[in-house]
């Protein structure tokens, strides 16, 4: 496949096997700078596995992932993040023991201070800039009133919004979202869509996995459909919606 | 000072310092106001505070910290023998050597987490113990332990004056460190350690350590290289254990291998959990309580017990004395074990958690969803 000019993420011929299970086969995917790329597909299609390969949680069995000309395959998760890739997980990964504000401040430190810095001679309380930035971020996701609260006590939908804030505060160049609206009320889903639209205006590239077609069709520039570890269709949202193969494999289900 | 410490921290530190410095008066009603015991309060307070920087903040439970304590003792003793009777170079030397040991042991052990990490540290500590006990006898004097002799070289001292006659004792620039001097000398180090622990806990570095404890995966995907963070915490806590070990040699000039045994490693775990893991003052309280009760219980003998049970008729008294006798004196560890079981089962957050519960019952009720200062540090908050 030809590499287009403004491609920022290239998943090149990735295969991933778990024992005999082909979780991903022949995956070739290109994401253009500033675009929102949706990945849809039935349960067990391999969507989360694909994100795991991109951020270095799982090594691919073969193939490679290239981000902005840099091969990510073989790099450690923290190195990949420091290159500008952040991820919202399917099951929220937050710091349950810390306060909501601390949850958002921590990634801001990773962006400012890098992967390792012994910063023990200043109090967190005196890091005014980071604190203000974190508060502004919590304002955006609607958690500001609960900033001193315990992150572990949040509902699943709120944890997801918190995790989104944790990723956004890093101003990543590429944001990977694994079902960012699952478990949210319709109202919260719409707020999240608005938020994601707003960051799109700032030029952040996104790969988003979603089951909610309302979310997909309001955000995505391109859609890739996975089933049983293979790409069965790709194109604009409208093209995909009209594709009979997709109808058959996926959209014929309860989701449309 | 403004950027250095918040008012709340300053209050806490001043309060803590006041209690420590007034201990000779405050401990009197408990019959604990003698320099030897209070000095052990200081020393084991440092040990527990240092241990808590690793265990309380990062969640990595080391079962081998006595190794660094013991290494500190031997290093300080060698400094007394070879360099000078001055306690300061001995302490610097001890902390440095303990730091080197911690760097090596930590580097290897931190490749694993959870129970595997604990077992690795335990294995290393047992290796250090058997090195000290039998392999390296020229350095450690094995079973007998290492002590000073008037024939020691002490090159720095001899540059300036002749060796004094009699048994050499550690000093500070000629000032004696026995009795209350020794207590205040150790107290200064405890306060410095407390300040350091407070700085770390409230700093971004400390927040990263708490992040590692809470969710190490998230830390990695957030761009942190967690290994050097945990290693730094490990080395700091190892160095503080070395400091404690050195201070013990200043008071009690005998370095023996038994200080490195696994029971000694277990004791600092007990102190920390008893007081409250991850809290600032908890580990110190735990250390003080354990050393206090160790002192009381281990001094009991059958005579004391039979006068205690003198109200009972003859036969019953003998039974009571026999049973109670198992828990005191040499059997003090049995009581300690029992106490530990009770704490872990009924009050896993330790004494600090208990104080908080009592405070919550009588004081202003706290809004449940808010994170209190102690709560955010407490391990039980995870559940
Ligand atoms: N670490 C693993 N070890 C073994 N098998 C795995 C592992 N991770 C995923 N799988 C398997 O790979 C397949 C794809 O899983 P994946 O989680 O990527 O699906 P998904 O498209 O994200 O599904 P869902 O919509 O349910 O989240 C599934 O059959 C799953 O059981
Ligand atoms: Mg999934």
């Amino acid at each position: 496949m030809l590499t287009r000019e403004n491609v920022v993420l290239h998943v090149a011929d990735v295969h991933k096997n778990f024992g005999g299970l082909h979780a991903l086969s022949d995956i070739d995917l290109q994401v253009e700078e500033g675009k929102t790329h949706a990945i849809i597909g039935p349960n067990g299609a391999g969507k989360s596995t694909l994100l795991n390969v991109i951020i270095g949680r799982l090594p691919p069995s073969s193939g490679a992932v290239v981000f902005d000309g840099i091969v990510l395959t073989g790099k450690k998760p923290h190195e990949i993040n420091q290159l500008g890739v952040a991820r919202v997980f399917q099951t929220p990964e937050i710091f349950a023991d810390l306060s909501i504000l601390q949850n958002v401040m921590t990634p801001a430190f990773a962006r400012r201070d890098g992967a390792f810095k012994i910063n023990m001679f200043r109090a967190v309380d005196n890091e005014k800039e980071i604190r203000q930035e974190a508060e502004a971020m919590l304002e955006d996701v609607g958690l500001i009133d609960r900033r001193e609260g315990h992150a572990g006590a949040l509902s699943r939908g709120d944890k997801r919004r918190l995790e989104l804030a944790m990723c956004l505060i890093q101003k990543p160049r590429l944001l990977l979202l694994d079902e960012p609206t699952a478990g949210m009320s319709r109202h919260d889903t719409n707020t999240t869509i608005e938020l994601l639209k707003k960051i799109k205006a700032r030029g952040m590239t996104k790969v988003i996995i979603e089951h909610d077609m309302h979310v997909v069709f309001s955000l995505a520039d391109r859609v890739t459909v996975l089933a049983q570890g293979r790409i069965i269709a790709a194109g604009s949202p409208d093209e995909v919606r009209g594709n009979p193969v997709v109808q058959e494999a996926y959209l014929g289900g309860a989701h449309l | 000072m403004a950027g250095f410490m918040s008012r709340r921290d300053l209050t806490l530190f001043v309060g803590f310092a006041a209690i420590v410095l007034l201990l000779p008066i405050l401990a009197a009603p408990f019959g604990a106001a003698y320099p030897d015991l209070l000095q052990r309060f200081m020393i084991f307070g440092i040990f527990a505070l240092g241990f808590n920087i690793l265990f309380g903040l990062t969640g990595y439970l080391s079962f081998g910290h006595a190794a660094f304590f013991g290494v500190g003792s031997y290093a300080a003793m060698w400094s007394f023998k070879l360099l000078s009777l001055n306690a300061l170079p001995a302490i610097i030397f001890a902390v440095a050597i303990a730091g080197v040991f911690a760097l090596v042991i930590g580097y290897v052990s931190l490749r694993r987490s959870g129970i595997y990490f604990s077992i690795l540290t335990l294995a290393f500590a047992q290796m250090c113990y058997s090195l000290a006990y039998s392999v390296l006898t020229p350095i450690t004097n094995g079973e007998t332990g290492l002590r000073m002799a008037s024939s020691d070289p002490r090159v720095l001292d001899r540059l300036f004056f002749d060796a004094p006659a009699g048994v050499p004792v550690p000093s500070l620039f000629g000032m004696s460190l026995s009795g209350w001097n020794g207590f205040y000398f150790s107290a200064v180090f405890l306060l410095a350690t407390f300040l350091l622990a407070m700085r770390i806990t409230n700093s971004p570095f400390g927040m990263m350590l708490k992040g590692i404890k809470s969710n190490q995966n998230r830390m990695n995907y957030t761009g942190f290289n967690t290994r050097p963070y945990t290693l730094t915490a490990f080395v700091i806590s190892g160095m503080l254990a070395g400091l404690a070990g050195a201070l013990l040699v200043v008071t009690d000039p005998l370095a023996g291998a038994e200080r490195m045994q696994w029971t000694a490693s277990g004791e600092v775990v007990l102190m920390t959990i008893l007081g409250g893991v991850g809290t600032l003052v908890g580990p110190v309280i735990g250390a003080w309580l354990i050393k206090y009760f160790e002192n009381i219980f281990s001094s009991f003998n059958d005579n004391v017990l039979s006068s205690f049970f003198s109200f009972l008729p003859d036969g019953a008294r003998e039974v009571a004395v026999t049973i109670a006798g198992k828990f005191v004196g040499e059997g003090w560890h049995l009581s300690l074990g029992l106490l530990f079981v009770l704490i872990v089962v009924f009050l896993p957050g330790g004494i600090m958690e208990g104080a908080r519960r009592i405070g919550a019952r009588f004081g202003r009720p706290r809004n449940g969803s808010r994170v209190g200062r102690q709560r955010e540090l407490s391990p039980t908050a995870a559940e």
Side-chain angles (χ1 to χ4, degrees), chain A residues 21-188:
Chain A
L21 175 74
H22 297 280
L24 295 174
S25 319
D26 275 331
I27 302 294
D28 208 290
L29 194 83
Q30 302 188 8
V31 181
E32 290 175 50
E33 180 107 55
K35 294 281 159 61
T36 299
H37 196 123
I39 297 175
I40 62 173
N43 288 110
K47 308 180 295 294
S48 298
T49 304
L50 178 57
L51 293 198
N52 284 340
V53 168
I54 295 174
I55 59 150
R57 184 178 239 188
L58 292 172
S61 305
S62 68
V65 178
V66 182
F67 171 67
D68 197 25
I70 301 167
V71 179
L72 297 187
T73 313
K75 286 199 188 300
K76 300 210 176 81
H78 74 263
E79 295 169 329
I80 294 175
N81 175 278
Q82 289 287 347
L83 288 171
V85 184
R87 174 178 180 183
V88 173
F89 286 82
Q90 188 165 357
T91 17
E93 294 270 358
I94 57 164
F95 304 114
D97 310 332
L98 303 186
S99 77
I100 290 164
L101 183 63
Q102 287 174 326
N103 265 268
V104 184
M105 285 175 77
T106 303
F109 280 116
R111 197 198 63 215
R112 192 192 72 184
D113 296 342
F116 174 62
K117 183 178 177 193
I118 301 180
N119 186 353
M120 64 167 89
F121 300 103
R122 265 173 88 88
V124 172
D125 292 348
N126 291 329
E127 300 277 5
K128 296 256 163 22
E129 267 172 44
I130 295 239
R131 188 189 168 99
Q132 278 161 8
E133 213 182 323
E135 285 177 343
M137 200 65 243
L138 285 173
E139 188 91 57
D140 280 352
V141 296
L143 288 171
I144 187 71
D145 295 337
R146 282 185 277 172
R147 71 194 134 202
E148 299 300 330
H150 203 228
L154 290 175
S155 71
R156 198 172 143 105
D158 286 342
K159 281 183 183 157
R160 227 173 257 292
R161 288 197 287 170
L162 174 61
E163 199 185 11
L164 184 60
M166 292 163 73
C167 290
L168 290 179
I169 200 168
Q170 295 197 308
K171 302 199 175 73
R173 292 190 53 205
L174 173 65
L175 178 62
L176 309 173
L177 302 134
D178 201 339
E179 305 192 21
T181 64
M184 278 188 194
S185 66
R186 176 60 33 187
H187 172 261
D188 285 348

Side-chain angles (χ1 to χ4, degrees), chain B residues 257-299:
Chain B
E258 75 288 343
R259 282 181 194 158
M260 296 174 131
Q261 237 175 339
W262 67 270
T263 46
S265 292
E267 196 180 61
V268 74
V269 179
L270 285 181
M271 290 170 175
T272 312
I273 292 179
L274 175 66
V277 187
T279 62
L280 266 171
V281 284
V284 181
I285 295 176
W288 291 3
L289 282 177
I290 286 185
K291 285 297 148 189
Y292 176 69
F293 284 109
E294 177 186 69
N295 191 51
I296 292 191
F297 275 64
S298 51
S299 69

Side-chain angles (χ1 to χ4, degrees), chain B residues 68 98-110 124 231 234-235:
Chain B
F68 310 122
V100 172
F101 270 74
L103 189 66
V104 174
I105 294 179
Y107 182 82
V108 179
S109 305
L110 286 165
F124 276 115
L231 186 57
F234 193 95
V235 170

